[in-house]
Amino acid sequence: FLYASISGFGQHGPYAALAAMDPMIQAFGGGLDLNRDSAGNPVLMRHVPVDVVTGLYAFQAVSVGLLKRFRFGTGSLIDVNLMQAATAFLAPRLMDVVLGNGELKESTGVPMGVFPARNGMISVAVKDDKEFALLCDALGTPRAVVITKLDAPRGDFATAVAACQRVFGGADGHAVLPL
């Protein structure tokens, strides 16, 4: 036999009988607390990541269960739940909070975000100063502002984003990118 169960909170425990859906687990599991807009309000991830991740974990477990069945002739009981999947999915951000003594800080000191450009928007995601300099070169923007020369300590995300806006943005707030 191969039995796979997907539930909200698992087969046992005080919440086992409760129904659950992705938005509820995002709130219950801390996802809304970790995902906020610029005003600090919780924002629901609308692409149902908890449902998707739970399904992927279940698929992976069932695949291993089938391999075990074909190879050894034994069955498996697989119990996957949304709460555990959400916790695993959020683990990096949860660790940011734990290591930051309960404070949620941005985990990078380089600019990341979506910025206005001449023909729409540009998504910037660079991991370090070298990549930022390469991005400036690729966009034909002078390297006048590179993260290492910011007037704030490394890790100050707001200042890094402001610098990115100064580099990419024009006087009217719209970017002067050659896009």
Side-chain angles (χ1 to χ4, degrees), residues 1 21 41-42 47 98 100-101 127 130 136-137 143 157 163-164:
F1 78 95
M21 293 175 30
N41 300 313
H47 60 281
V98 169
N101 295 320
K127 69 176 189 218
K130 181 179 176 185
C136 289
D137 287 348
R143 291 189 198 189
F157 185 76
C164 194

Side-chain angles (χ1 to χ4, degrees), residues 63-170:
S63 297
V64 171
L66 288 171
L67 180 63
K68 179 183 170 191
R69 172 113 174 122
F70 292 133
R71 190 159 187 190
F72 303 107
T74 58
S76 297
L77 171 61
I78 297 164
D79 182 14
V80 178
N81 68 72
L82 279 78
M83 190 64 218
Q84 287 179 336
T87 303
F89 180 67
L90 295 172
R93 294 293 283 163
L94 292 170
M95 288 307 300
D96 284 346
V97 172
V98 169
L99 296 174
N101 295 320
E103 233 181 284
L104 180 61
K105 295 182 179 177
E106 293 298 331
S107 57
T108 181
V110 294
M112 291 187 175
V114 179
F115 302 93
R118 191 178 305 148
N119 66 345
M121 303 296 281
I122 181 172
S123 176
V124 176
V126 295
K127 69 176 189 218
D128 57 27
D129 299 343
K130 181 179 176 185
E131 282 190 5
F132 183 71
L134 291 171
L135 175 66
C136 289
D137 287 348
L139 294 173
T141 304
R143 291 189 198 189
V145 179
V146 179
I147 299 304
T148 54
K149 295 182 181 177
L150 287 177
D151 47 311
R154 185 168 179 77
D156 184 342
F157 185 76
T159 303
V161 169
C164 194
Q165 289 169 333
R166 281 196 308 272
V167 170
F168 297 142

